[in-house]
Amino acid sequence: MGRIVVVGAGLGAMAAAARLAIAGHTVTVYEQASTYGGAVGRFERDGFAFDTGPGLLHLPAVYRDLFVKTGKRPLEECVGLSQVDPAARHVFADGTRVDLPNASRAGTVAALEAALGAGAGERWGEFLVRAREAWDRTRRPLLEEPQPARPKALADEPYPALRAGLLRRPTRSLAQVGERELRDPRLVALLDSYAEAYGFPAASAPASAVVLPYMEQTFGSWYVAGGVRALADAVYERCLERRVEFVFDAPVDEVLTEDEAAGERAVGVRLESGETVEADHVVVGAPVPELYREQVLPWRYSDEWTHFQRHGTSRTTVLLALRGAREEGAVHRTVVHGDGERPTVTVLRPDDPALRPDAGHESVTVSALVHGLPEEQWAGFAARMVEAAARAVPGLAERLLWQEVRTPEDVRAATGTAEVPGPALADARGEWLPAPNLSPLPGLYFAGGWSHPGGGLAHAGMSGALVAGLIVEGAEFRGSQ
């Protein structure tokens, strides 16, 4: 069994650490911050508590598998999980509202038909059939298996184009899917919102991003009691149970290499303090592109990476402490679509006693995609976000006690980069693939949101499983069967 150094304590890195420890390896995690979790953060004040990262969990099977494989207590004994129903309420720019049920395609079609008019639900249903085809084509190579050595094998667009007579009309972007196939601007906005939730601007995202609404509407949305931070707590505790050692406030300055007969290999890390730590394998859970640029990783290997997923987006989050209880009929998640003056925002209102001082108050989280917005405009952008959220929270202005704004710089402080990574997507150029788990430097592996299969809680957790499999079983490991 070997000595494993893990750089970073995000969910993907901790998932790898727990799996490697149960396999008998000695695992030490070095984290630059003073706590674990990475983007899965927490903010507390005056009895209010908020998730500062993801607020919902999709594909909980990834974490169920982690807990089954690393201990006796299953996931549901470590955290409380409940389905969010309705999955979301959508408030469109024209004032139309629709509640979409959780994990029910037929229910979603019926709800859209009733709210948006005859034919709307049918068009969305037909779109989901094609989205399922894209999902079936990409599920294993983009979620359950390590990225192949030749990533161009994943560069074909999996979304089936519409036929026009005998010709196939190429559908290269998600925006084209909406324009050509959905037609109703509200359905287009609905489709766009799924991409934006993962940090993808709909105008530039590939057509294969259709797998995102398919995944959510098929497998559902889940809430973790106490907030998603409770999931990070549970994964951290599982790591401690498996005797994983954590060293916080310990930035890594360099991955060390050594020449061997067969070539160069990673042999440990040098900390900012100057201490060197030897290792048989190094697992990096921090943002891969940033580490190459900062030369923490050997810069000479960066030329081999031509497909880093970089879409230049971040997220602004506004935390709202409100007086008064939730009104009757309130839902957990509302997506308020942009109207030209205000951005599209996601409003989370979990009815969770753990997040408020008492029943006479409420904690609300409002988040929005930020793309190409100058820093001097962030304050005004946050104000417009709160204005948009008022369409989902009656009497918001009168109920507001205080607010806390989390900007892209706060994202950078928590994770090492202001950008938010998204899941791996197939496309005609291979530009939406993150770093493979197996690096070009022997002994060095990548886990977490910036590595295959990409960002999002489920995808990051799966990256940890893939890295553990590659280390334990070798480079021929092919993932779950």
Side-chain angles (χ1 to χ4, degrees):
M1 295 296 102
R3 300 162 299 174
I4 311 289
V5 163
V6 178
V7 181
L11 267 291
M14 289 197 295
R19 290 176 181 271
L20 289 166
I22 199 70
H25 294 280
T26 301
V27 184
T28 304
V29 178
Y30 293 91
E31 166 58 46
Q32 67 171 351
S34 58
T35 188
Y36 51 87
V40 184
R42 183 89 157 181
F43 180 83
E44 298 182 357
R45 173 182 163 187
D46 301 338
F48 293 90
F50 307 84
D51 281 323
T52 57
L56 294 173
L57 174 64
H58 307 295
L59 292 176
V62 171
Y63 289 93
R64 290 192 180 107
D65 181 71
L66 170 64
F67 278 74
V68 165
K69 299 291 177 56
T70 60
K72 296 181 179 179
R73 297 177 64 210
L75 176 65
E76 277 81 357
E77 286 188 14
C78 300
V79 297
L81 279 181
S82 59
Q83 286 191 306
V84 176
D85 204 2
R89 171 174 293 164
H90 287 263
V91 180
F92 296 102
D94 67 354
T96 306
R97 298 183 174 224
V98 59
D99 288 356
L100 300 184
N102 196 10
S104 172
R105 177 187 162 192
T108 295
V109 168
L112 291 172
E113 193 80 4
L116 306 188
E122 181 180 359
R123 286 197 299 277
W124 185 261
E126 292 171 350
F127 153 74
L128 283 182
V129 171
R130 291 186 288 276
R132 177 180 178 177
E133 186 172 337
W135 169 262
D136 289 341
R137 290 178 178 179
T138 61
R139 175 181 58 85
R140 282 195 61 80
L142 284 186
L143 184 63
E144 299 175 357
E145 299 176 347
Q147 196 178 109
R150 293 185 176 181
K152 288 187 177 180
L154 299 173
D156 292 332
E157 172 56 62
Y159 186 72
L162 287 177
R163 291 188 178 274
L166 298 177
L167 301 176
R168 287 173 62 88
R169 301 177 64 190
T171 308
R172 298 188 182 281
S173 71
L174 192 68
Q176 287 178 316
V177 172
E179 179 184 355
R180 292 178 176 178
E181 304 178 26
L182 299 177
R183 299 189 294 279
D184 187 316
R186 296 165 297 185
L187 289 180
V188 174
L190 174 62
L191 174 60
D192 291 353
S193 69
Y194 286 98
E196 292 171 358
Y198 282 94
F200 295 135
S204 58
S208 61
V210 298
V211 300
L212 302 176
Y214 174 81
M215 180 179 70
E216 181 173 325
Q217 293 193 6
T218 301
F219 303 106
S221 301
W222 299 75
Y223 178 66
V224 181
V228 170
R229 178 65 183 183
L231 176 63
D233 294 340
V235 175
Y236 174 68
E237 290 296 330
R238 178 54 54 92
C239 285
L240 295 181
E241 291 171 8
R242 300 279 70 84
R243 300 186 185 280
V244 174
E245 181 183 358
F246 286 81
V247 182
F248 296 108
D249 299 308
V252 171
D253 265 1
E254 183 183 0
V255 171
L256 302 176
T257 62
E258 182 178 277
D259 289 332
E260 294 184 344
E264 193 175 35
R265 177 182 176 82
V267 295
V269 298
R270 177 178 289 109
L271 305 181
E272 186 179 68
S273 65
E275 178 187 356
T276 60
V277 182
E278 295 181 353
D280 298 293
H281 303 278
V282 176
V283 177
V284 171
V288 177
E290 300 293 331
L291 296 183
Y292 273 123
R293 184 160 48 242
E294 296 168 4
Q295 301 187 34
V296 175
L297 301 179
W299 184 252
R300 56 194 166 279
Y301 289 102
S302 64
D303 290 341
E304 300 190 27
W305 305 84
T306 60
H307 57 276
F308 281 138
Q309 185 190 95
R310 303 299 299 270
H311 42 82
T313 62
S314 189
R315 201 172 307 283
T316 291
T317 304
V318 184
L319 315 176
L320 304 176
L322 305 184
R323 62 169 64 88
R326 294 193 341 159
E327 75 281 2
E328 185 177 354
V331 299
H332 188 117
R333 175 171 55 165
T334 302
V335 179
V336 181
H337 294 268
D339 58 7
E341 295 183 5
R342 289 169 286 269
T344 296
V345 299
T346 297
V347 182
L348 296 182
R349 307 177 65 189
D351 189 13
D352 188 339
L355 304 184
R356 60 189 184 226
D358 53 52
H361 294 84
E362 182 183 9
S363 62
V364 174
T365 302
V366 185
S367 61
L369 184 70
V370 178
H371 186 239
L373 186 69
E375 184 175 352
E376 61 269 18
Q377 297 182 24
W378 288 349
F381 183 75
R384 294 195 300 277
M385 288 172 58
V386 176
E387 290 176 8
R391 300 179 67 194
V393 185
L396 188 154
E398 294 76 20
R399 297 177 58 198
L400 182 62
L401 293 171
W402 51 263
Q403 69 180 41
E404 175 79 13
V405 178
R406 313 290 288 182
T407 71
E409 279 306 310
D410 293 304
V411 176
R412 186 191 305 277
T415 67
T417 179
E419 289 192 50
V420 177
L425 297 174
D427 80 322
R429 295 172 298 276
E431 296 175 354
W432 295 82
L433 299 175
N437 308 110
L438 190 62
S439 89
L441 175 66
L444 177 67
Y445 304 81
F446 296 136
W450 284 101
S451 62
H452 184 77
L457 290 171
H459 295 77
M462 181 57 72
S463 78
L466 295 176
V467 165
L470 287 167
I471 291 176
V472 173
E473 299 186 27
E476 300 304 314
F477 170 71
R478 298 312 307 156
S480 58
Q481 303 296 321

